[in-house]
């Protein structure tokens, strides 16, 4: 191996983010390369939830909406996320699921381009984004062309007939990262609006929504933001669009005066109009505390570590690619890479099961992708080396051929 | 007072649901008449959440989707709710918020009556239901007449032009309970579909959705089901409509094969098609455990106690109505009453604040309603007497006139 154990240990010792690992509860002996699917538990979260359950729900009960700020949680959490994605605090709110937030923002964006009839996306976008667009189109009598294209054809697909370009910044399988600035500029040159899904971006590296001129964005709370399984998602609407972003999912929490209980819906003036029903207080509270881990984190430093981790992994994997036929799916160019690395392999499913059994957790994505996520807040360089060593062991000793690793279960 | 302390204590001693109180953590000294806004904490919930947080999220991480059945939670919780509302286990799923579930079911129902152009509801329906219908109508180019009527005009409003009659079974302010069977039959006689919101019904008394022939229903997890603040809501679709209930909110969790990651949406054959994004595991788990309290509860016995509690409260309040001008808003007829009692009073806001300060929690609903919810699983008859005694004290000593009780806060 080209980088020795000693060199890697030096990297860990000098890692400015090294102490952050202590903020997480990493299971003993586990190498967790799946923070892009479910982030690990921040140590401060259980105490917060204990307080929410026992004191706020258990003792103060209904009074907690005011007493403990339950009402303000969606905006408070949104403001914390805003800092990580280059938005103003009043441009982001935590709410519902990513899928539902795609629905809200896509509808709002289409309404701002009423004369246009094309929605552009990447055919390899995370399926739920495409499914939601299909649902939206069915709702609007199929009047839209859903122009799903491969990455190499994306720019050519954006023309003056396009209403919205909706993309996930980082491809959930390959880890390919779009040039958000370039695509957003191109989108605007053609008079269309941009909708970015930050599922694999928020908390993984600095995002500059406003600097790139993005119109709408959504993202996930349970991946790099570590908010826990099924954590609330978030939604961004640029200030300039907020007054015109009509909330078709017009629930009482988005009303100008929810507690006036008026029969007529009047949307809140601000980003609150993107909220719908009563928020999950447990989920919001966990995410609120999880986000504290990012306090004082310089996102540029985080990105630097992320690239070093993925560089190291790619480098260490080279001999395995030659020996066992792994095919790198992730761009080598830093600017085109998220915080994950993917390999194609025809036996990918069984190999991943065997690797998991050896204590290295990554995940598998159909049809043949082994996916490894690298969360700079808690991963060590030494773990990258050890993960590859264990994968090498799985391959050399053909452990993946054990029958138990061939049985497919649903995986997330 | 017509019913003595001793008589009431006898009622408590002979209460078949009396032992159920032990399943809840009732704050010491508090009389909680607000379970229709937020149910109290079931004692088994903190241990379940501790396990979900530490073991499932903290240790087993992403593997918990299979290992701890996270994937199945929405259906498992739905099946438990089904028993309480007269539905089959495969007709109910826990998902999202009540508002979002109204959106899904209203759209699905309208699509089943494409030639009709009227939605009927009660102008005093909980506002979010009306707001969602407004949003749906805006989305469909305003082609629907939103026929919002007062209760006395409801039956006359249902004619052959109506697509959907959407009502909340129990009025959130007055506690008036609709005749679900009669209204559903009338709805069907006119060829329309019924959509019932069970926010103040599920867990409060037996509901017989299938026996009444109901088409669609939604409901809330955090009121009488005690699932915790912002708990997941639920949605019911009668089997006969499931194949045709198109999920316009077409997210990946409702796909026939979510983990095949296909670009084309194909709705699940079953009730799962009403789910959208990744569910809140914390919220689902809390609700799942909270529902265990209903094991072996005979809902007819629950209803009997509910009526006795509200009868007792109404009876005890009579002298206060005469002396201080409270006006009963809730029907005296049992079959027209939910599990709450409401009074109008011009100083309702301040009176409720003073009552809360005295340790009796009810809530206030604009413009002038004092609302008291009676949860038969944990309330004692003696508490009803004591609550009225304290309200009498608030009134006799004009405690509500203290300036601190006049300042309006947002209340839920």
């Amino acid at each position: 191996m080209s980088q020795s154990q000693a060199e890697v240990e030096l990297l860990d010792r000098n890692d400015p983010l090294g102490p952050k690992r202590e903020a997480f509860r990493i299971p003993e002996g586990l190498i967790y390369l799946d923070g892009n699917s479910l982030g690990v538990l921040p140590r401060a979260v259980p105490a917060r939830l204990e307080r929410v359950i026992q004191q706020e729900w258990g003792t103060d009960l209904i009074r907690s909406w005011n007493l403990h700020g339950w009402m303000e949680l969606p905006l408070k959490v949104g403001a914390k996320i805003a800092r990580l994605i280059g938005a103003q605090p009043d441009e982001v709110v935590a709410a519902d699921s990513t899928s539902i937030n795609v629905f809200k923002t896509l509808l709002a964006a289409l309404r701002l381009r009423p004369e246009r009839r094309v929605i552009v996306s990447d055919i390899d976008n995370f399926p739920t984004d495409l499914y939601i667009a299909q649902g939206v189109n069915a709702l609007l009598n199929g009047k839209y062309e859903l122009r799903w294209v491969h990455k190499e054809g994306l720019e050519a697909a954006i023309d003056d007939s396009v209403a919205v370009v909706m993309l996930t910044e980082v491809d959930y399988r390959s880890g390919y990262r779009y040039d958000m600035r370039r695509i957003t500029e191109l989108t605007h040159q053609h008079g269309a609006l941009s909708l970015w899904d930050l599922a694999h971006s928020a908390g993984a590296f600095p995002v500059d929504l406003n600097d790139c001129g993005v119109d709408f964005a959504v993202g996930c709370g349970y991946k790099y933001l570590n908010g826990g399984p099924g954590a609330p998602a978030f939604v961004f609407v640029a200030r300039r669009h907020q007054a015109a972003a009509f909330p078709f999912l017009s629930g009482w929490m988005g009303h100008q005066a929810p507690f006036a209980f008026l029969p007529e819906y009047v949307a809140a003036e601000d980003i609150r109009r993107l909220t719908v029903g009563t928020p999950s207080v447990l989920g919001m509270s966990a995410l609120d505390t999880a986000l504290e881990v990012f306090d004082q984190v310089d996102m540029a430093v985080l990105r630097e570590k992320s690239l070093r981790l993925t560089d190291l992994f790619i480098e260490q994997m080279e001999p395995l690619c030659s020996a066992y036929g792994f095919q790198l799916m992730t761009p080598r160019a830093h600017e085109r890479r998220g915080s994950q690395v993917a390999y194609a392999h025809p036996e990918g499913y069984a190999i991943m099961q065997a690797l998991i059994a050896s204590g290295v957790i990554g995940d598998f994505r159909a049809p043949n992708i082994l996916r490894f996520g690298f969360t700079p807040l808690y991963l060590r360089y030494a773990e990258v080396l050890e993960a590859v060593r264990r994968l090498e062991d799985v391959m050399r000793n053909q452990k993946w051929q054990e029958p138990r690793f061939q049985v497919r279960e649903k995986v997330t």
Side-chain angles (χ1 to χ4, degrees), chain A residues 244-383:
Chain A
F246 190 80
F248 290 100
L249 267 167
S250 45
W252 72 308
M253 284 292 159
H255 193 280
Q256 209 173 57
F259 294 97
F261 298 103
L262 304 170
E264 197 77 22
Y265 182 76
V266 183
E269 305 268 332
D270 59 6
I271 188 77
R272 270 203 314 114
R273 61 168 57 193
L274 273 293
T275 63
V276 188
T278 306
S280 164
V281 171
L282 299 180
M284 287 282 170
S285 300
L287 180 54
D288 185 42
T289 290
L291 286 164
E292 286 172 11
V293 178
F294 285 94
D295 287 353
Q296 278 94 47
V297 168
D298 180 334
M299 293 302 281
V301 170
L302 186 96
R303 175 62 170 166
E304 198 188 324
K305 181 176 175 188
S306 161
L307 289 171
R308 279 197 185 178
L309 287 166
T310 51
D311 276 346
L312 177 63
F313 188 72
I314 291 170
E315 174 202 302
Q316 296 289 316
M317 280 290 291
E318 299 288 1
L320 280 77
C321 290
S322 324
Y324 305 109
F326 291 102
Q327 192 191 340
L328 178 64
M329 304 302 289
T330 305
R332 289 177 188 274
H334 282 177
E335 63 276 18
R336 293 285 68 76
R337 190 194 304 166
S339 199
Q340 67 179 67
V341 180
Y343 292 89
H345 192 290
E347 298 294 341
Y349 180 80
I351 292 168
M352 184 52 81
Q353 300 318 304
L355 185 64
I356 289 170
S358 86
V360 177
I361 307 225
D363 62 24
F364 172 77
R365 283 291 173 262
N368 63 347
I369 305 280
L370 297 108
R371 194 173 73 149
F372 302 92
F374 295 84
T375 303
L377 286 177
Y378 50 76
L379 274 185
R380 290 193 177 127
Y381 294 98
E383 291 179 293

Side-chain angles (χ1 to χ4, degrees), chain A residues 180-200:
Chain A
M180 177 183 279
R181 185 180 311 274
R182 181 186 165 90
I183 303 290
T184 302
E185 278 173 13
L186 186 68
T187 299
H188 289 166
Q189 277 162 23
H190 288 284
L193 292 167
S194 60
L195 165 50
W196 288 95
D197 182 339
L198 306 177
H200 294 272

